[in-house]
Amino acid sequence: MKRHFKLAALSLAVLSSTSAFAQDSQEPDYKQWFGLSGMYYNTDPGRPLAEGIYDDGQGVSFEYGFRFTQSWAARIEYTDLELDYRSPISSGSDSEDGEMVGVDALYFMPDDMYYLFGGIKRQSVGESTTLANIGIGKHWDLADSVKIITEVATYHDFGEDYNDYSVKVGVSIPFGKSTPTAPQDSDNDGVIDSRDQCAMTPAGVRVDATGCAVDNDNDGVLNSVDQCPNTPAGVNVDAKGCAIKDSDNDGVVDAKDMCPDTEAGVKVDAKGCVVFDEEKVEITLRVLFDNESAVVKMPKDPEISEFAEFMKQYPSTTAVIEGHTSAPGTEAYNMDLSKERAASFKDVMVDMYGIDSSRLETVGYGETRLLDTANNAEAHRINRRISVTVEETVKVPEEK
């Protein structure tokens, strides 16, 4: 019998230790209970007495229990116990009243399937003795506020080598129910801490069912297919998660860029080529002449050089060189002089600056288009001139 008691104690210890931590941190469904039970108590036939023996007995048990966690609890128990007593000198039997008081530690299995318990009892029936007890029990749900208690326990006396056992049936009233709390999610990734294998995921990162990032470099390609998992932030990637090259940084990848060397800052179309706007450009030149002269005095004047460069920049343009004179002199003379002045300027453009003569036309207006009609030296000076204007509609790159 002693061996059976030790085996039961070892089993209780092993069962408790193997699963103690599985639910230890969870809140219990209820925190306290009161219980009232009827007990059948069977004594060991070898239990020593001064005279006679105890046979069996019954009692009424009161208990108060407190659950620390979903798994662990403790209780205080008081039993009003009556044991049958048979004396060897008497043919009949009698009974003795007493009590049994003690404490137990209880371990509830998952989902309260059953519980194991063990503790110390002080029994005072006839003689006082201290007992160690272990057992198994279950709280059966009868209603939300009532449970049925069933227990089987065995007792071992510390001073003597004997074992008793008991069977108990009763009711318990649970109270102090816990308020359910939402599972904790420390990094706010939508995966509770108990399941989160990557507990410090940065904010905004998509995670899988284990709480780990599904796209470590945030390039929009999942880790499972990302062949370049460390792409720098902001880089465009392809379906494999690798950077897409854009050599001229125009927003069109090299594979689709039909104009791969676009200058910076200009707008491009879907093919990577410059988008142009139409723009009108023009230049006007006026060259003054001495009195009764058709000689271009300063053919390398910066304004004349600039005009020639404009003609070269826009080779499709043509120009009409207009010759003019002041009012003094006859109309015929002034007309011939204006033509000579236009022709003289054309020769400078062709001979000195290499402009194709076919692009230049000359015309003389004599004194018919005076800029200043006053009859003084200054008016005559500005009227002795050639003038030429070149216009062109060109395409210029549109800026971003």
Side-chain angles (χ1 to χ4, degrees):
M1 200 70 171
K2 184 176 181 180
R3 182 180 302 171
H4 293 163
F5 183 91
K6 291 180 177 179
L7 181 60
L10 180 60
S11 299
L12 175 61
V14 171
L15 287 172
S16 299
S17 62
T18 55
S19 55
F21 297 100
Q23 296 182 347
D24 193 50
S25 63
Q26 300 179 18
E27 283 289 322
D29 296 332
Y30 57 92
K31 291 186 177 181
Q32 304 176 66
W33 76 90
F34 285 118
L36 174 65
S37 305
M39 178 184 289
Y40 168 76
Y41 193 91
N42 180 264
T43 60
D44 191 328
R47 182 171 178 174
L49 290 173
E51 293 182 356
I53 59 172
Y54 285 123
D55 188 2
D56 53 18
Q58 57 280 330
V60 178
S61 178
F62 303 89
E63 64 181 86
Y64 164 73
F66 182 86
R67 294 185 77 162
F68 302 100
T69 68
Q70 184 68 18
S71 299
W72 289 100
R75 72 178 174 191
I76 301 173
E77 186 178 35
Y78 170 82
T79 304
D80 184 9
L81 190 61
E82 181 182 285
L83 297 181
D84 293 338
Y85 174 75
R86 289 185 294 168
S87 172
I89 61 175
S90 169
S91 58
S93 63
D94 200 354
S95 63
E96 288 192 18
D97 292 330
E99 62 185 17
M100 185 167 61
V101 180
V103 294
D104 289 313
L106 296 83
Y107 178 75
F108 286 82
M109 303 303 289
D111 299 323
D112 286 2
M113 184 178 297
Y114 59 90
Y115 58 88
L116 306 172
F117 63 91
I120 301 294
K121 299 292 190 295
R122 182 67 177 175
Q123 189 181 107
S124 299
V125 181
E127 297 178 355
S128 294
T129 184
T130 300
L131 307 172
N133 68 280
I134 59 172
I136 186 171
K138 180 174 176 63
H139 287 177
W140 304 84
D141 291 328
L142 183 62
D144 289 342
S145 57
V146 180
K147 295 180 181 288
I148 300 297
I149 299 174
T150 57
E151 285 185 6
V152 176
T154 182
Y155 305 83
H156 181 76
D157 181 81
F158 280 114
E160 303 292 339
D161 187 14
Y162 69 86
N163 300 293
D164 300 341
Y165 72 86
S166 69
V167 176
K168 185 171 75 173
V169 178
V171 295
S172 73
I173 308 298
F175 61 97
K177 289 189 175 182
S178 301
T179 302
T181 57
Q184 190 172 5
D185 178 12
S186 299
D187 54 5
N188 295 312
D189 61 357
V191 180
I192 60 175
D193 290 350
S194 60
R195 298 179 182 176
D196 201 332
Q197 297 181 19
C198 303
M200 300 304 293
T201 306
V205 175
R206 291 188 299 161
V207 299
D208 56 21
T210 65
C212 295
V214 296
D215 180 12
N216 286 334
D217 53 6
N218 290 315
D219 60 358
V221 180
L222 301 182
N223 294 338
S224 57
V225 295
D226 199 335
Q227 297 184 16
C228 303
N230 298 312
T231 306
V235 174
N236 292 328
V237 299
D238 56 21
K240 297 179 181 179
C242 296
I244 300 175
K245 291 184 178 180
D246 178 13
S247 301
D248 53 6
N249 295 314
D250 61 357
V252 180
V253 298
D254 289 354
K256 298 180 179 180
D257 200 335
M258 298 180 65
C259 303
D261 298 318
T262 307
E263 294 181 2
V266 298
K267 188 175 180 179
V268 298
D269 57 21
K271 297 179 180 179
C273 296
V274 177
V275 175
F276 289 95
D277 280 336
E278 286 192 348
E279 184 177 298
K280 186 176 181 180
V281 294
E282 68 175 28
I283 188 170
T284 297
L285 177 66
R286 183 179 299 152
V287 179
L288 300 181
F289 289 81
D290 290 339
N291 186 35
E292 297 185 359
S293 173
V295 177
V296 179
K297 294 188 298 181
M298 300 177 63
K300 293 185 178 181
D301 184 275
E303 291 186 2
I304 297 176
S305 297
E306 182 181 355
F307 178 82
E309 287 300 318
F310 184 90
M311 293 289 291
K312 291 178 181 179
Q313 183 177 357
Y314 302 102
S316 63
T317 58
T318 60
V320 177
I321 304 170
E322 299 176 351
H324 303 274
T325 67
S326 59
T330 65
E331 290 184 6
Y333 174 79
N334 287 338
M335 181 61 71
D336 290 339
L337 182 57
S338 67
K339 293 179 179 179
E340 290 178 11
R341 287 174 175 169
S344 178
F345 184 78
K346 177 179 179 179
D347 291 340
V348 170
M349 288 290 102
V350 174
D351 297 338
M352 185 171 292
Y353 291 99
I355 305 300
D356 191 334
S357 62
S358 63
R359 297 173 59 197
L360 300 171
E361 180 182 350
T362 63
V363 61
Y365 289 101
E367 58 185 86
T368 61
R369 296 187 179 183
L370 300 176
L371 293 177
D372 189 342
T373 59
N375 187 17
N376 55 47
E378 180 60 22
H380 300 331
R381 186 184 72 83
I382 64 174
N383 286 328
R384 298 191 298 265
R385 72 196 188 278
I386 63 97
S387 62
V388 57
T389 299
V390 179
E391 294 181 352
E392 175 74 330
T393 299
V394 297
K395 291 183 177 181
V396 294
E398 183 177 341
E399 295 183 357
K400 289 184 178 180

